[in-house]
Amino acid sequence: MKTFATRPPPRNRLLIFARVPEQGRVKSRLARELGEARTLELYEAMVSDLLASIGSASFDLEIEVLWTGSEEVSGSLLERHFGDRPLARQAGETLGDRLAVSFGERIFFHRAEKVIAIGTDDPSLTREAVERAFLLLDSCDWVIGPAEDGGYYLIGCRAA
């Protein structure tokens, strides 16, 4: 009987919350200024730049895209924009609901020890910044990357 080597799931999980780039369904406030076609081009570039900056998964870090989009989204469209990264559809009505569901699933079902979520609004976010946030979770329960507008660009927690 042939055996297959297994490894435990990565301790750290990075969740990238993203909308599937679809015209008329991304960055609505910006689209009022730039138009839907130009806004779609800009958003596609933002997603592409962020994914390039974050890089690939490693032995200790899983990178997963949590997507939302219309009912017309196809597997080929997901692959075109997000590559071969693991994907899951966002669940929940509000961002708070979506974060709670995704963090809970990764900690309780995937056995992640640390989970960090980011969005696609800052394509200049670096892998190093994300790795620093994971390191901070060694000494605290929560980490938040504050944004200048009063929101945040990163939020994470560790399992209890």
Side-chain angles (χ1 to χ4, degrees):
M1 178 174 177
K2 186 172 185 172
T3 61
F4 296 94
T6 60
R7 68 174 182 94
R11 296 173 358 107
N12 301 326
R13 182 72 62 110
L14 176 62
L15 307 177
I16 302 172
F17 279 68
R19 285 198 164 276
V20 175
E22 298 176 276
Q23 188 163 324
R25 296 183 184 265
V26 295
K27 302 292 177 198
S28 56
R29 285 179 283 180
L30 190 57
R32 287 192 289 271
E33 299 289 323
L34 298 179
E36 290 180 356
R38 180 72 180 122
T39 300
L40 179 60
E41 290 175 11
L42 178 63
Y43 183 72
E44 287 174 330
M46 290 170 67
V47 169
S48 177
D49 288 352
L50 175 71
L51 293 175
S53 179
I54 294 300
S56 301
S58 64
F59 180 79
D60 202 36
L61 175 66
E62 182 71 62
I63 300 173
E64 183 177 7
V65 175
L66 274 67
W67 63 273
T68 187
S70 72
E71 297 299 320
E72 293 79 39
V73 170
S74 65
S76 61
L77 186 63
L78 291 170
E79 185 178 0
R80 186 174 96 211
H81 291 292
F82 305 129
D84 61 356
R85 290 168 186 81
L87 301 168
R89 189 161 194 165
Q90 295 178 28
E93 293 297 317
T94 67
L95 178 58
D97 292 342
R98 292 173 182 190
L99 288 167
V101 167
S102 61
F103 278 43
E105 285 179 350
R106 275 53 186 193
I107 290 170
F108 295 110
F109 298 117
H110 299 264
R111 299 288 188 214
E113 294 177 22
K114 301 175 195 171
V115 180
I116 289 178
I118 62 173
T120 56
D121 285 349
D122 185 358
S124 66
L125 183 62
T126 64
R127 174 75 170 250
E128 292 76 23
V130 171
E131 288 174 350
R132 280 193 306 271
F134 276 112
L135 286 173
L136 284 170
L137 288 171
D138 286 336
S139 60
C140 59
D141 293 331
W142 289 90
V143 63
I144 296 176
E148 290 182 18
D149 66 0
Y152 54 91
Y153 65 89
L154 175 151
I155 186 166
C157 71
R158 68 177 174 176

